[in-house]
Amino acid sequence: MRKFAFLAPLGALLAAAAGPAAADPAAINVTLGAELQDRADELGEREVRGQADRLAEVVGRALAGGGDLDGARIDLVLTDLRPNRPTMKQLARQPGLDALRSLSIGGASIEGRITTADGRMLPVRYGWYTNNLAEVRGFGVWHDADQAYRRLAVRLAEGRYVSR
């Protein structure tokens, strides 16, 4: 019992140190734009919804370190989504596609708004796509879309909300 007596003061010290630094993280909500909802059946609804969840995860992780957007509400709309390789749904519909050798220019476009903790509303607009097939580096279906999410997340963390 005596061996663990030092843990109580250590726990109290850690709790006190973490208290003031722990601010409310930003609330992130991602929806699909109307055109993307129409294309979701073509790409696969489950995969498109998974990409919306991935966007929220990447942005949340980038903003977790604190900053200007603590306590903010971030509403993002995934307006366009392009895979680098055929999705499972596309492979099922078009048997001539090759899951490994069929390659495409991928990326994503995101719009939305940020409502800061003090009530200001800031627009968000970002899109990123590979320029040509020679620049496609990833092997995943959604590699370039994920690249767009990461680039947006870095910009949000830096305070740059609108760029095209």
Side-chain angles (χ1 to χ4, degrees):
M1 187 74 164
R2 197 164 181 54
K3 293 179 184 179
F4 298 109
F6 71 92
L7 290 178
L10 178 63
L13 178 66
L14 290 175
D24 290 335
I28 302 164
N29 180 37
V30 178
T31 58
L32 303 177
E35 289 182 24
L36 186 55
Q37 284 180 352
D38 293 341
R39 288 187 47 227
D41 186 48
E42 170 193 330
L43 295 171
E45 291 183 31
R46 182 174 172 219
E47 288 195 57
V48 171
R49 188 70 238 162
Q51 289 304 300
D53 294 342
R54 175 73 179 145
L55 172 59
E57 173 190 337
V58 170
V59 170
R61 222 176 322 136
L63 299 177
D68 294 340
L69 297 179
D70 279 345
R73 178 174 173 81
I74 302 174
D75 295 306
L76 300 174
V77 179
L78 194 55
T79 58
D80 188 28
L81 186 61
R82 296 183 198 164
N84 290 102
R85 303 197 185 277
T87 64
M88 295 301 285
K89 182 82 170 209
Q90 289 173 324
L91 288 170
R93 283 190 169 177
Q94 299 174 2
L97 290 176
D98 187 324
L100 298 176
R101 290 183 288 198
S102 295
L103 190 62
S104 179
I105 293 173
S109 290
I110 301 118
E111 294 181 0
R113 72 171 180 252
I114 298 170
T115 307
T116 62
D118 62 1
R120 291 180 297 136
M121 296 184 81
L122 308 166
V124 174
R125 188 173 312 119
Y126 185 74
W128 187 84
Y129 300 89
T130 25
N131 293 320
N132 57 50
L133 291 176
E135 292 181 4
V136 175
R137 300 279 183 237
F139 295 102
V141 173
W142 301 106
H143 179 268
D144 287 343
D146 201 56
Q147 184 79 357
Y149 307 154
R150 283 183 267 135
R151 288 173 178 236
L152 170 68
V154 167
R155 281 174 170 70
L156 291 177
E158 293 174 347
R160 298 183 292 155
Y161 309 125
V162 177
S163 62
R164 271 286 175 179

